Amino acid sequence: MTAITKHRLFWPAAILAVMLLANLIFTPTFFRIELKNGHLYGSLIDILLYGAPLILIALGMTMVIATGGIDLSVGATVAISGALACSIIADQPDQEAVGGVLTAVALALGLSLVLGLWNGLLVARVGIQPIIATLILMVAGRGVAQLITDGQIITINSAPYELIGGDYLFGFPFAVLIAVVVFTGTAVLTRRTALGLLLEAVGGNAEASRLVGIRARRLLVLAYVFSAFCAGIAGLMISSNIRAADGNNAGLWIELDAILAVVIGGTSLMGGRFSLAGTVLGALIIQTLSTTIYTTGVPPQVTLVFKAVVVTAVCLIQSPAFRAKAFRRRRPSAPAPAEAEVPA
Amino acid sequence: MKRSPRETGHIQGRDEAMVASEQEVLAMDAREERSVRGRGRLTAILEARLRREYLPVLVTLALFVVLFGTGSAIYPAFGSGQVIIDLFIDNGFLLVAAIGMTFVLLTGGIDLSVGAVIALSAMLSASLVEHVGLATIPIVLAVGATLGFLMGYVIHHFEIQPFIATLAGMFLARGLCFVISIDQISIKHPLFAEWPHIPIQLPGDMFVKPTVFVALAVLGLAFWTLHYTRFGRGIYAIGGNEQSALLMGLPVARTKIGAYVVSGTCSALAGMLFATYTLSGTGVHAVGMELDAIAAVVIGGTLLTGGSGYVLGTLLGVLLLGSIQTLIRFEGTLSSWWIKIVTGALLFVFIVLQRAISSKRSPDG
């Protein structure tokens, strides 16, 4: 029993399972997945589809957090990438042309890479604290996105572009396939090669890792570039899903959700270790929470209260200091965190 | 929390750096001591401190003067005393929120809940004032302080990162706004709609509003607290090095939680000022204002790593951001998103400047 509860994926997985099961109370058909017109439909598929951008961003965030950093600018990158892609497509005579869409996607992702490079250089070369370095782009980025869209919401009508975030391929939502590919690619690159270990070494102690011969600065830059790249893809997905680019609201606060997903997944903000599977679980927990609240009919704005409670609960359960104080003589069981939060 | 050997090593490294810098400080004090005997205290302090400590603040001041001078040169109406007073009237709530943020940033923490607490206080004020009148003020302040206390308690005693704990606080406060009401509530009670708007005539055909005095009073109180009380010294000590502060026997728990209580209370007060300014409460008020507050504090010269900064610098930071907005409004053709871009650019300049200054002090920042 203790061997299972000690596993670092136990708590995130248990929380996700409890949340999914809780949905059965409100929707008995929650776990049903149907095949209509060759497409998969169902609540679980919805969670995956709407969770795909968050999963992508959280994967990038995991790499950055593994190096002991943090990337606050991903929300702004989401807005910029979507804005650029949509404004290019909107300017074309034929919005349906595949070539034009590919150009737009390539340019948007290219710009995302540049933004990631900017963050990475600030952190690795200039030596600014990551939270501050990425704060600059977080503040300025939305302004840039609005500059690109000229303050308007650009709507587009392009079937090839809609594939990215809203359409299906081989029965699966294309966005989910992208997320699976990025997850697999990242997992193979970091866990089947030394890259993951090197990133963790940099996160543990950047100076020490440099002294043993790791190119710490280059790895740091790489982590931020990867994070921005993931955010860029997510920006394409979000704008493609709503068929519009909104410089002000696209990806608003998604950086906070992504950081939460990483933390819920068991990756410490201190850096030095990371869990990709945990991150995906964390992102799915957050998305399941939103979906659950929508299906129970609570006003969507009130979601935030539940989110606060769940975030507090999850973080407290994972906090060794809290566990030591709360369950000193008891077996670990599902606690009542809202009450436990009030000081004795 | 159990620390891995690696983390302990990191902390030890920091402590050693701290000891080294303490020796440096002692040496500096000794130098100061000698020169005090020679030339008088004021010049000595000026010489020892002016170069590094005050530089970011002075740069902010210089930028503010340059910006204001440019504005006055282009637009004759810009260079009047009333425009400066308007900066205080239009940014009073931001100033109060940024002052609270200064306390938290000085301890090396961060408070993301500021904007949401402002919205919650505006919402509470709007819904309560018709029923309880003047009692609204203590109730709202108590709610802000309680939220701050809870966040501080969780941060300190359960070792949750400030970033995550205040993020949860932000979600909670924003959500509670919508629990009170999903629609906007307008305010008609004289406590918010009339009394704070009574113009007070000043010589030279200028006027101020009572809200300005509230903001200035908070500024004065914060200045006194940070520089002349034990609590204030404790805040700087924790920001400098929490381990050292603990080993010195400072009340770390009380001080650290206190910083978040100050920030929560300031945000609540800022929310009430915001309510007098907009005469309404809604859950979408002040979205992202915590970023403006953080930007103002950083531009005002406070290190985000904690331990160094001045609340008067925060005032300058708020005034600088405010005058950029005023200038862009005077310009007319420039769109509002330029405010964000210019704010980001300013942040960049000041962060690099701080980096350049602090790199002389410690190699790994």
Side-chain angles (χ1 to χ4, degrees), chain A residues 72 122 126-129 132 136 146-147 150-151 248 256 259 269 299 301 304-305 308 315-316 319 322 325 343, chain B residues 149 153 157-158 160-161 163-164 167-168 171-172 174-175 178 182 287 290 304-305 337 340 344 348 351 355:
Chain A
L72 295 182
L122 279 185
V126 190
I128 302 173
Q129 245 192 312
I132 313 170
I136 297 170
Q146 279 171 292
L147 189 68
D150 210 18
N248 233 350
L256 302 181
I259 293 166
L269 280 184
Q301 293 95 332
L304 289 168
V305 177
C315 290
L316 284 184
S319 150
F322 175 77
K325 277 171 194 161
Chain B
F149 175 79
Y153 190 88
H157 288 289
F158 300 142
I160 308 266
Q161 283 101 346
F163 190 89
I164 299 293
L167 179 59
F171 288 150
L172 181 67
R174 254 312 149 210
F178 293 108
I182 290 185
V287 170
E290 56 277 351
L304 270 169
T305 39
W337 48 82
K340 290 177 189 168
F348 172 68
I351 288 164
R355 175 66 200 163

Side-chain angles (χ1 to χ4, degrees), chain B residues 183-257:
Chain B
D183 305 313
Q184 177 168 321
I185 306 177
S186 57
I187 304 175
K188 295 185 188 70
H189 194 279
L191 176 63
F192 286 95
E194 284 168 29
W195 300 340
H197 298 283
I198 302 165
I200 300 166
Q201 287 298 327
L202 290 181
D205 208 22
M206 296 187 283
F207 72 94
V208 294
K209 288 180 178 178
T211 50
V212 174
F213 295 113
V214 175
L216 288 179
V218 173
L219 182 71
L221 195 64
F223 182 81
W224 176 74
T225 309
L226 278 177
H227 297 293
Y228 295 99
T229 66
R230 266 187 212 179
F231 176 66
R233 302 310 304 167
I235 296 241
Y236 279 97
I238 291 176
N241 188 324
E242 193 175 328
Q243 293 285 324
S244 305
L246 194 66
L247 292 174
M248 272 192 279
L250 293 176
V252 171
R254 208 195 312 158
T255 313
K256 207 163 147 192
I257 296 174

